[in-house]
Amino acid sequence: MALPQIKQDATDARLAALTLPDGGWSDTARQEAVARVRNMGLPGARDEYWKYTRPDTLVQPDAPKAALFEAEETPVFGEVDRLKIVFVDGVFDAEASDDLAMEHVTIDRLADAADIHWAKDLYGVLETRGQTPVHRPLAALNTAFATDGVLIHVTGKAPKPVSLIYRHESETSDAILHHVVKVESGAELTILENGPAAARFNKCMEIDIADGGVLHHVRAQGRDPERRAATAMFVRLGSESVFKSFTLTANGVLTRNEMVVELTGDDAIAHVAGACVGDGDFHHDDTVFITHDALNCESRQVFKKVLRNGATGVFQGKILVKEGAQKTDGYQISQSLLLDEDSQFLAKPELEIYADDVACSHGSTSGAIDEEGLFYLRSRGIEEGPATDLLTLAFLAEAVMEIEDESLQDEINGRVEAWLTRRRG
Amino acid sequence: MLEIKNLHVKLEEEDKQILKGVDLSVEAGKVHAIMGPNGSGKSTLSYVLSGRDGYEVTEGEATLEGEDILDMEPEERAAAGLFLAFQYPVEIPGVGNMTFLRTAVNSQRKARGEEEMSAADFLKMIRAKAKELKIDADMLKRPVNVGFSGGEKKRNEILQMAMLEPKMCILDETDSGLDVDAMKLVADGVNALRDAGRGFLVITHYQRLLDHIKPDVVHIMADGRIIKTGGPELALEVENNGYADLLAEVA
Ligand SMILES: Nc1ncnc2c1ncn2[C@@H]1O[C@H](COP(=O)(O)OP(=O)(O)OP(=O)(O)O)[C@@H](O)[C@H]1O
Ligand SMILES: [Mg+2]
């Protein structure tokens, strides 16, 4: 079917501005991805899946300029013992990175990987699976044109987290990174991500977790107020495996985080959570699609957004329970705390269930600060500003508590607290 | 300590007068009790004094140690030494009881230009006070009042009072919902704080609390006014005869 002209033009213009990297072993996957992009067309304002978020600046050939942000604080996860992998405006920085060697974990740079590589069976494969039933053309574009990224193979319990650090140094950088992670049976890893990455960042991560594997993911997206990001994670879980992901977003003019999770083995667990704090020119979109395709799996989606001065929060979350996925336990909550009347929260929670013995619940709320609670705190001597902050942190707590590691929880809470304090001036 | 003169209060949102000229003076070192029928304005008085939104003072004044409190923010009143034990303590999901109390103690100290209490001193103090009130460590860790039983909430109010060491304590039906033993604990908590520099205003419906906390003065409030003031015997009279006679007296 032909694409609408406007979509065709936008897609052509974007493709014309990009050159296919010499991908070696990934060339076929990349060419197929280009075909997918041509076929689907890049997102447009009319697309149902982009109803609440304008994709134009993510699609246009050049990245809109984004000023660099002078952070007046220590970088996040600074205290964590971790293996650091640094990208500057989307380019791997060997100098700034640690030695990519760690017990039970093999890490290769996407560009350097040998022709016979495990990632060949995954690169673009999970992304392709994630294109049904909803199209995610920016992810296909990523598979085709990613210039860098890492391939992480986990064969046992990793001694420390792998920390992906994305630095932003050029005001016009347009970065496309693609990572592939394979967690073998019984293996375990924590991946940390932080940093603004670029003026415009398109990041895709494909994750395959074998039976009994465990992957924790904690991300603090960069705080450069003008940066834009479209990220997608495609996760496939085997039986009794665990995937837990948490994302903190503070600032950023535009963020679209897609999370596509497929529970393909029995008794698997997937928790995805997000907390965001937005002030002013801030648009944050969490789009989640969780497919239950096995017995007795558990999924949780916990998303909390604090919005003020005209900030916008979006949540599109779906639980699809396939035929036969009995005993599914699916939970989804999305909530916003609107600190003024100019801010808005748009939510589209969806359940689609084809099995009869399942427990799925979902809820979405939008509310202001609890006046009763605020007065109670103030009556004990806590000033209005700090009292509001306490209630705000409390509102976000359900999402932050999804992080299993308590020191990482503290780290994230500390960041939110600092952000709130700064905003009060 | 606390001086209330001719206080008139209406609801902000509607044209409803609730306090119609309250006169009351609580001296340092004294315990005053207020009794009165449901809906007579006792809680309204306590809320207006602590600075809750939604009320408008149309006439009169209230001072704490000579300072006008009605223009202050709620937190300023707290720092000035006013404390209200709520009739219905508020649940605050996600805020730990300890964090809450430490923030409160230190906010007040900061506002008064005093040094903050160290984490160690705070911990020592709260453990001791909690023990006296039979509040276990688990309750201290839990979110403020969330999942607390009615009696636990009231004991938690007294714990806050003990930690904040206010000058003027208003207790709004802190005895309601308490079993006999808990009432004793709460009364002991109050009595432990009684001293020459501190005033108490105890709102209650029952004589029983006043058996434990011996009041110096008892006021009867009806329809937004103090209609009678007397000694402890006034509470006994209410206990035995109800309000009918007292109301008839002023009618
Ligand atoms: N925010 C409000 N909106 C409407 N009515 C109110 C409000 N606050 C107080 N009132 C009314 O004012 C009157 C006094 O209420 P208040 O709670 O002060 O009584 P009280 O003496 O504490 O009663 P009780 O013994 O039952 O606790 C009642 O008629 C109550 O309904
Ligand atoms: Mg009352």
Side-chain angles (χ1 to χ4, degrees):
Chain A
M1 206 177 66
L3 299 173
Q5 196 57 47
I6 191 166
K7 192 185 268 283
Q8 184 72 57
D9 292 346
T11 304
D12 288 345
R14 177 65 173 133
L15 288 174
L18 288 162
T19 22
L20 264 185
D22 176 10
W25 58 272
S26 65
D27 274 341
T28 315
R30 288 171 184 272
Q31 275 147 20
E32 285 170 6
V34 174
R36 278 197 296 285
V37 174
R38 290 202 183 283
N39 200 22
M40 297 184 274
L42 290 171
R46 301 256 174 84
D47 295 6
E48 183 62 24
Y49 216 43
W50 290 83
K51 192 170 165 185
Y52 302 126
T53 298
R54 286 185 52 171
D56 51 347
T57 55
L58 297 172
V59 169
Q60 71 187 49
D62 294 316
K65 206 168 137 181
L68 304 179
F69 184 59
E70 299 298 333
E72 65 274 32
E73 56 179 15
T74 54
V76 69
F77 307 135
E79 302 291 303
V80 181
D81 181 24
R82 62 206 163 127
L83 187 149
K84 295 195 286 292
I85 302 177
V86 179
F87 296 88
V88 179
D89 291 307
V91 182
F92 175 67
D93 183 338
E95 196 80 348
S97 302
D98 290 331
D99 183 6
L100 300 187
M102 176 161 62
E103 203 185 352
H104 305 308
V105 182
T106 316
I107 304 171
D108 291 305
R109 206 177 152 188
L110 174 59
D112 295 343
D115 199 20
I116 313 166
H117 197 280
W118 58 266
K120 210 168 175 175
D121 295 333
L122 290 174
Y123 189 87
V125 173
L126 298 187
E127 174 258 297
T128 305
R129 288 176 72 95
Q131 297 294 351
T132 339
V134 198
H135 289 166
R136 306 171 196 282
L138 289 173
L141 186 82
N142 182 302
T143 299
F145 296 100
T147 46
D148 221 325
V150 281
L151 312 170
I152 304 175
H153 190 203
V154 195
T155 51
K157 194 167 169 9
K160 57 185 176 186
V162 167
S163 176
L164 302 170
I165 299 162
Y166 307 120
R167 294 199 184 130
H168 174 204
E169 290 180 4
S170 147
E171 290 194 345
T172 54
S173 53
D174 192 20
I176 307 182
L177 290 184
H178 195 115
H179 310 302
V180 183
V181 181
K182 185 174 188 181
V183 181
E184 295 292 355
S185 186
E188 185 173 339
L189 177 69
T190 295
I191 293 180
L192 307 174
E193 289 186 283
N194 72 285
R200 181 170 68 182
F201 189 31
N202 180 332
K203 193 208 65 186
C204 183
M205 191 184 276
E206 295 176 286
I207 300 171
D208 190 37
I209 310 176
D211 298 354
V214 176
L215 185 74
H216 292 280
H217 170 244
V218 180
R219 162 167 68 169
Q221 289 182 301
R223 294 197 291 106
D224 296 24
E226 294 172 8
R227 63 130 188 92
R228 287 157 207 277
T231 77
M233 297 181 76
F234 297 92
V235 190
R236 181 169 63 188
L237 287 101
S239 63
E240 292 179 30
S241 65
V242 175
F243 172 65
K244 291 189 181 177
S245 167
F246 171 87
T247 299
L248 170 70
T249 312
N251 303 358
V253 66
L254 178 61
T255 308
R256 162 93 160 199
N257 291 331
E258 296 196 16
M259 177 67 79
V260 185
V261 177
E262 235 188 317
L263 296 139
T264 62
D266 298 346
D267 305 302
I269 294 173
H271 292 187
V272 294
C276 82
V277 286
D279 190 340
D281 210 359
F282 174 90
H283 183 107
H284 186 274
D285 175 335
D286 280 302
T287 291
V288 182
F289 197 114
I290 296 188
T291 304
H292 282 260
D293 196 11
L295 293 175
N296 202 33
C297 291
E298 174 191 310
S299 72
R300 273 172 78 80
Q301 303 172 46
V302 181
F303 288 87
K304 303 264 188 163
K305 299 178 199 286
V306 176
L307 305 165
R308 68 186 191 203
N309 290 326
T312 299
V314 174
F315 175 76
Q316 306 190 95
K318 179 156 180 168
I319 306 175
L320 168 64
V321 181
K322 289 200 170 172
E323 205 181 324
Q326 303 296 8
K327 305 281 181 202
T328 284
D329 178 0
Y331 173 76
Q332 178 196 89
I333 183 91
S334 65
Q335 294 181 307
S336 74
L337 175 61
L338 303 176
L339 294 177
D340 54 51
E341 284 172 6
D342 301 329
S343 303
Q344 60 171 346
F345 177 54
L346 306 160
K348 189 179 174 196
E350 282 182 283
L351 290 177
E352 195 177 328
I353 301 176
Y354 298 101
D356 50 20
D357 184 14
V358 302
C360 282
S361 64
H362 66 145
S364 182
T365 64
S366 236
I369 278 279
D370 171 26
E371 290 297 332
E372 288 279 319
L374 188 62
F375 173 63
Y376 191 69
L377 295 176
R378 294 179 71 190
S379 78
R380 298 307 183 238
I382 306 172
E383 286 175 76
E384 187 172 9
T388 305
D389 290 357
L390 264 181
L391 293 175
T392 304
L393 281 168
F395 166 78
L396 294 174
E398 190 188 355
V400 178
M401 302 233 283
E402 289 292 323
I403 303 172
E404 211 161 272
D405 184 304
E406 278 185 28
S407 64
L408 290 176
Q409 269 185 27
D410 292 346
E411 171 87 305
I412 294 295
N413 275 325
R415 298 291 150 165
V416 177
E417 217 176 317
W419 186 91
L420 292 168
T421 310
R422 268 198 310 275
R423 292 288 140 160
R424 268 195 286 115
Chain B
M1 171 74 44
L2 178 68
E3 290 269 355
I4 303 166
K5 284 190 194 138
N6 194 30
L7 190 65
H8 286 68
V9 171
K10 70 179 272 290
L11 292 177
E12 217 165 52
E13 301 275 300
E14 38 182 305
D15 221 8
K16 185 172 171 186
Q17 199 72 32
I18 299 179
L19 299 184
K20 303 171 181 173
V22 174
D23 286 289
L24 188 68
S25 166
V26 181
E27 311 78 19
K30 299 285 189 228
V31 174
H32 285 226
I34 299 188
M35 303 181 84
N38 294 128
S40 54
K42 304 180 298 295
S43 292
T44 303
L45 175 64
S46 68
Y47 284 143
V48 169
L49 292 174
S50 50
R52 182 165 146 148
D53 277 346
Y55 305 100
E56 191 185 321
V57 175
T58 52
E59 225 185 306
E61 60 170 47
T63 56
L64 183 69
E65 291 191 306
E67 256 194 285
D68 177 10
I69 54 168
L70 295 178
D71 280 336
M72 294 183 186
E73 298 294 338
E75 56 269 28
E76 294 170 336
R77 302 178 196 206
L82 188 76
F83 179 88
L84 166 65
F86 284 54
Q87 180 171 5
Y88 304 107
V90 181
E91 297 189 5
I92 309 191
V95 178
N97 219 3
M98 280 288 225
T99 311
F100 159 59
L101 259 173
R102 202 169 70 225
T103 312
V105 167
N106 284 330
S107 301
Q108 291 201 14
R109 289 183 167 224
K110 214 172 109 197
R112 290 194 291 260
E114 298 165 12
E115 213 172 305
E116 292 197 357
M117 198 189 266
S118 75
D121 286 349
F122 174 82
L123 213 60
K124 215 168 120 190
M125 180 165 175
I126 197 165
R127 284 207 181 117
K129 303 280 181 196
K131 197 171 162 206
E132 284 167 19
L133 286 159
K134 296 216 162 65
I135 289 175
D136 60 30
D138 178 55
M139 252 171 78
L140 291 178
K141 278 190 223 136
R142 269 158 49 189
V144 181
N145 293 326
V146 177
F148 288 24
S149 74
E152 286 170 343
K153 284 181 184 167
K154 297 300 178 79
R155 271 186 281 151
N156 200 30
E157 293 291 290
I158 300 305
L159 174 68
Q160 292 170 36
M161 186 169 84
M163 292 299 295
L164 293 167
E165 300 180 317
K167 291 179 192 156
M168 180 66 220
C169 310
I170 305 174
L171 281 70
D172 191 357
E173 292 196 30
T174 302
D175 52 339
S176 299
L178 291 183
D179 64 38
V180 184
D181 296 333
M183 171 122 40
K184 182 91 182 18
L185 282 175
V186 163
D188 289 348
V190 172
N191 288 330
L193 281 172
R194 278 179 90 153
D195 74 25
R198 191 169 277 134
F200 285 88
L201 188 60
V202 180
I203 299 170
T204 182
H205 286 294
Y206 307 106
Q207 167 60 33
R208 198 159 64 197
L209 180 70
L210 303 179
D211 286 341
H212 297 295
I213 308 172
K214 299 258 178 331
D216 300 293
V217 182
V218 175
H219 307 274
I220 307 297
M221 185 178 243
D223 193 24
R225 283 188 197 89
I226 303 291
I227 58 161
K228 188 160 184 170
T229 296
E233 71 288 348
L234 197 51
L236 282 169
E237 192 184 327
V238 169
E239 180 89 348
N240 295 331
N241 307 330
Y243 293 107
D245 294 351
L246 288 166
L247 292 173
E249 244 175 71
V250 291

